[in-house]
Amino acid sequence: MSKKPAIGFIFVTLLIDTIGFGIIIPVMPNLISELAHVTISEASKLGGYLLFAFAVMQFLFAPIMGGLSDKYGRRPVLLASLLGFGLDYVLLAFAPNYSWLFIGRIIAGAMGASFTTASAYIADISNAENRAQNFGMVGAAFGLGFIIGPAIGGLLGSYGARVPFLFAASLSLLNCLYGFFILPESLKQENRRGFDWKRANPVGSLLNLKRYPVIIGLVTSLILIYIAAHAVQGNWSYYTIEKFHWSEKMIGLSLATVGILVAGVQGGLIRVVLPKWGQKKSLYIGLMLYSLGYFLFAAATQGWMMFVFLIPYCMGGLAGPALQGIISSQVPANEQGELQGALTSLMSITSIIGPVLMSQLFGYFTGPSAPVYFPGAPMAMGGVLTVISLLLAWRSLINFDVSKTVLGK
């Protein structure tokens, strides 16, 4: 098969990777409950510690993996990441107690550079015209994976809490083999750079972003988008149960709808809209739609409205690839791995801050001491943060020509 770099290879790799992650979602609570001998309510707290461990390790190691990919190429780092995920799932499948789950999540967080390296890979093979559209394929893979993964996990979970983990391990290891034989290297030798520990740590990689003034405001905008997203990611189930008394089946149906809409926007609509509107206009309109979606969620009075309001919210997904495309266009080819590692570290920080902020807001405004009963408070906060993100992006790009890049593509 031709070794010419192709976006299709990365799409399939990320799709399988996301399916593997989505498979374990429905059964993780029961596995934690079984191993720690606690109730589901207590298991949710222990599950939070696992997410915290994963996020911290990803924050620390993403810049290292990004720096390594700038030196040795994207292919070996991506394959090592997939292998690490496979070993993590094996550990989870055979874990004799809760401590082993913790060890597995630490390994996965340290090796979890698949999206980081894939983003750098996409930057390598993209030009100014198709960069944002290609980044949209990451979102499409994510959306499809979260339609297929949880459905398979729920089905396999009926045969035992550990069965989905074995299936996820098989997918990840097969994905690693697929990449070994099919995936070509995307980073040319002349675009590689030496590994520098000063730049390969989270603080160093973030400080290095100061060399690109336009990026600072845009990265801050991206951070706010990530934090706002936890209003939905971490509170959707609690909010819809509290306000609309949804069943697990209805919640699952709504999440499947999210996956379908995200896949449609990221994999289809974005490839039509971005060439016509350009990256700046797509970014602004996307952030407006995101904020509108959050405010509509907060104000919904009927359960069916949530399905309707998913349309503007998911169409807001135009913003992410456009913003990431603009940011990546300002960094040389031999620093794309470092950039994506820094962005992944930032995303890890928001994965620590966001869930705590949004869950505390929900708990306070649905509790007895709240000045007003308002379960939609996290959604409203998501809307406010997205409006601020829009203003920051506008301020950063007001005098900036996105057609002028440092990549010369």
Side-chain angles (χ1 to χ4, degrees):
M1 180 175 287
S2 171
K3 285 291 183 178
K4 183 179 179 181
I7 193 70
F9 295 158
I10 290 295
F11 176 78
V12 172
T13 296
L14 292 179
L15 176 62
I16 295 175
D17 198 26
T18 308
I19 289 174
F21 182 76
I23 281 172
I24 71 173
I25 291 176
V27 293
M28 182 62 95
N30 286 330
L31 182 62
I32 295 173
S33 179
E34 173 189 320
L35 293 179
H37 308 291
V38 296
T39 64
I40 291 295
S41 177
E42 294 168 320
S44 66
K45 297 178 182 178
L46 296 179
Y49 296 146
L50 294 179
L51 290 174
F52 178 82
F54 181 89
V56 169
M57 294 304 291
Q58 193 170 61
F59 168 71
L60 294 173
F61 280 85
I64 296 175
M65 302 298 276
L68 289 173
S69 78
D70 281 340
K71 180 177 181 178
Y72 298 108
R74 317 303 183 200
R75 186 174 180 274
V77 175
L78 185 58
L79 294 179
S81 175
L82 295 174
L83 181 62
F85 268 120
L87 294 177
D88 168 48
Y89 292 138
V90 171
L91 245 174
L92 296 179
F94 293 102
N97 53 55
Y98 173 77
S99 299
W100 283 90
L101 297 184
F102 210 77
I103 294 171
R105 290 286 82 187
I106 287 174
I107 293 173
M111 299 295 291
S114 56
F115 276 84
T116 299
T117 313
S119 295
Y121 191 108
I122 290 171
D124 292 339
I125 66 175
S126 302
N127 55 41
E129 287 72 34
N130 63 15
R131 184 174 292 109
Q133 295 97 308
N134 286 344
F135 275 120
M137 295 303 291
V138 177
F142 189 84
L144 283 174
F146 269 86
I147 298 170
I148 301 169
I152 296 176
L155 178 64
L156 294 177
S158 62
Y159 298 100
R162 298 173 186 263
V163 174
F165 293 92
L166 291 173
F167 191 83
S170 300
L171 274 183
S172 291
L173 295 175
L174 286 173
N175 197 11
C176 184
L177 283 175
Y178 166 82
F180 182 80
F181 289 107
I182 301 297
L183 190 67
E185 179 55 61
S186 64
L187 186 64
K188 298 176 182 178
Q189 286 290 339
E190 60 267 25
N191 288 332
R192 301 189 185 191
R193 65 176 181 87
F195 183 81
D196 184 356
W197 278 106
K198 292 182 180 179
R199 295 168 60 173
N201 65 80
V203 176
S205 64
L206 295 178
L207 290 176
N208 190 51
L209 295 178
K210 292 193 300 183
R211 293 192 298 151
Y212 309 102
V214 174
I215 281 183
I216 301 301
L218 295 179
V219 167
T220 305
S221 177
L222 194 62
I223 289 173
L224 293 177
I225 293 173
Y226 285 148
I227 294 176
H230 287 283
V232 171
Q233 294 174 7
N235 284 276
W236 183 265
S237 299
Y238 300 102
Y239 177 59
T240 53
I241 290 172
E242 172 73 20
K243 193 167 186 178
F244 307 115
H245 309 292
W246 279 8
S247 65
E248 292 180 355
K249 181 179 178 181
M250 183 61 75
I251 293 171
L253 180 61
S254 67
L255 293 176
T257 303
V258 171
I260 293 169
L261 289 172
V262 168
V265 171
Q266 301 288 340
L269 182 63
I270 203 167
R271 292 183 169 272
V272 177
V273 169
L274 269 172
K276 292 183 178 180
W277 288 354
Q279 293 182 356
K280 286 174 66 173
K281 186 175 180 180
S282 297
L283 171 60
Y284 298 152
I285 293 177
L287 289 175
M288 289 178 189
L289 289 169
Y290 257 147
S291 58
L292 176 62
Y294 284 121
F295 288 128
L296 288 174
F297 287 153
T301 57
Q302 302 282 337
W304 61 265
M305 293 180 178
M306 299 298 284
F307 285 88
V308 176
F309 298 159
L310 279 173
I311 296 173
Y313 173 76
C314 290
M315 287 183 67
L318 293 169
L323 182 54
Q324 199 167 9
I326 294 171
I327 292 174
S328 71
S329 71
Q330 296 307 296
V331 176
N334 63 357
E335 296 182 15
Q336 286 294 325
E338 180 181 15
L339 168 66
Q340 299 303 331
L343 294 181
T344 301
S345 287
L346 287 171
M347 187 169 64
S348 299
I349 295 174
T350 65
S351 296
I352 298 171
I353 299 171
V356 175
L357 171 64
M358 298 305 178
S359 62
Q360 290 298 314
L361 273 175
F362 180 82
Y364 177 72
F365 281 98
T366 56
S369 60
V372 59
Y373 177 74
F374 185 36
M379 304 295 184
M381 175 60 76
V384 171
L385 291 175
T386 308
V387 170
I388 297 173
S389 174
L390 170 60
L391 294 175
L392 282 172
W394 175 78
R395 182 180 178 184
S396 299
L397 296 174
I398 188 170
N399 294 315
F400 175 66
D401 184 356
V402 297
S403 66
K404 296 178 180 179
T405 74
V406 301
L407 300 181
K409 291 182 178 180

